[in-house]
Amino acid sequence: MAKPVHLDIVTGVAARVELFNEPPPAPVKTARGKPAAPGRGVNAMRLHLRDVATGKDREFMIRNSTVGVHDQHRVTIIRAKQNRTKDLKIVAVINQSTGQWEDRPAMIDAVSTPNPVFGPLWKAAFASLALAGVVFAVNHFIFTADGTGLGGSLWYGFLWGFITYPLFWAGFRVWNGLTHKRRARLAKELLRAEIDHQVAIASAMATAKEG
């Protein structure tokens, strides 16, 4: 089975660290037409890393991070995405020079939540159409092999598809719920295991540096 999430792990040396505050979004009016309370600004860090694996410069934008980074610190960024998406989300930031690290639960939840291409409604529609085709073929080519009764065969196919659609929908809905929970659990376990592994490396490096 394919992995539920794709990981992108970058370890590099901080070449430049830029700290700034992003202004809050413009307040919008409430339902009664009154201005809403202004939002809060976002602390942001633009981190320029020199990738130790490739030697290339990489840039990451990290918002509201609790991990302090200075020039020449060795930092690991763990990003993840679902296999069918393109947007990589930062799920953990680890400063190997200091041993400080953080995970980002909101991003982990977002990446771990399955995003199926076809939901229960579409799956039920495909299954009903397939069953309707089978019923039509059996009735028309076996029970009325002489070619008569085309209208009756079409009616039987339609009837079986129509009747079984809600049953298929209910079944696929239950099945999706069970499999999605399992995939979400597997994705979180994968992310947590990799984060713990990278944190252990960072802790070992920080301890060796102190010694």
Side-chain angles (χ1 to χ4, degrees):
M1 184 180 67
K3 291 184 177 180
V5 293
H6 169 76
L7 294 176
D8 178 67
I9 303 171
V10 177
T11 298
V13 177
R16 188 166 75 254
V17 181
E18 303 174 30
L19 302 176
F20 56 94
N21 184 269
E22 293 183 342
V28 296
K29 292 185 178 181
T30 63
R32 296 183 178 181
K34 296 181 180 180
R40 302 176 64 178
V42 176
N43 295 322
M45 173 172 61
R46 183 178 288 112
L47 182 60
H48 299 264
L49 291 182
R50 183 167 294 110
D51 193 330
V52 297
T54 64
K56 296 181 179 180
D57 291 334
R58 305 284 296 272
E59 179 181 312
F60 301 93
M61 179 68 72
I62 308 171
R63 293 176 173 83
N64 290 331
S65 176
T66 60
V67 177
V69 180
H70 297 288
D71 291 352
Q72 301 307 310
H73 277 184
R74 186 184 177 99
V75 180
T76 295
I77 304 293
I78 302 178
R79 300 188 298 172
K81 71 178 184 67
Q82 295 187 23
N83 290 326
R84 289 188 298 270
T85 62
K86 297 181 179 179
D87 185 21
L88 283 163
K89 300 181 184 297
I90 296 176
V91 297
V93 180
I94 304 167
N95 189 330
Q96 295 189 0
S97 298
T98 64
Q100 188 182 18
W101 67 278
E102 69 173 2
D103 57 10
R104 306 171 80 83
M107 295 295 101
I108 292 176
D109 288 341
V111 171
S112 302
T113 302
N115 184 25
V117 177
F118 299 107
L121 292 175
W122 282 105
K123 291 178 180 178
F126 293 146
S128 297
L129 287 173
L131 179 61
V134 170
V135 171
F136 165 77
V138 170
N139 189 77
H140 185 63
F141 295 107
I142 296 179
F143 293 111
T144 57
D146 57 355
T148 61
L150 177 61
S153 298
L154 289 172
W155 168 250
Y156 278 123
F158 169 79
L159 187 63
W160 275 92
F162 180 79
I163 292 175
T164 57
Y165 176 80
L167 299 177
F168 280 128
W169 174 78
F172 281 123
R173 186 176 182 184
V174 173
W175 175 257
N176 277 15
L178 295 175
T179 56
H180 286 186
K181 287 181 180 179
R182 181 174 179 272
R183 288 182 63 84
R185 177 175 56 81
L186 290 175
K188 287 184 179 181
E189 289 177 355
L190 174 65
L191 291 173
R192 291 295 180 187
E194 187 57 46
I195 291 172
D196 291 343
H197 175 66
Q198 295 296 333
V199 168
I201 295 175
S203 298
M205 294 186 64
T207 302
K209 185 177 180 180
E210 292 176 358

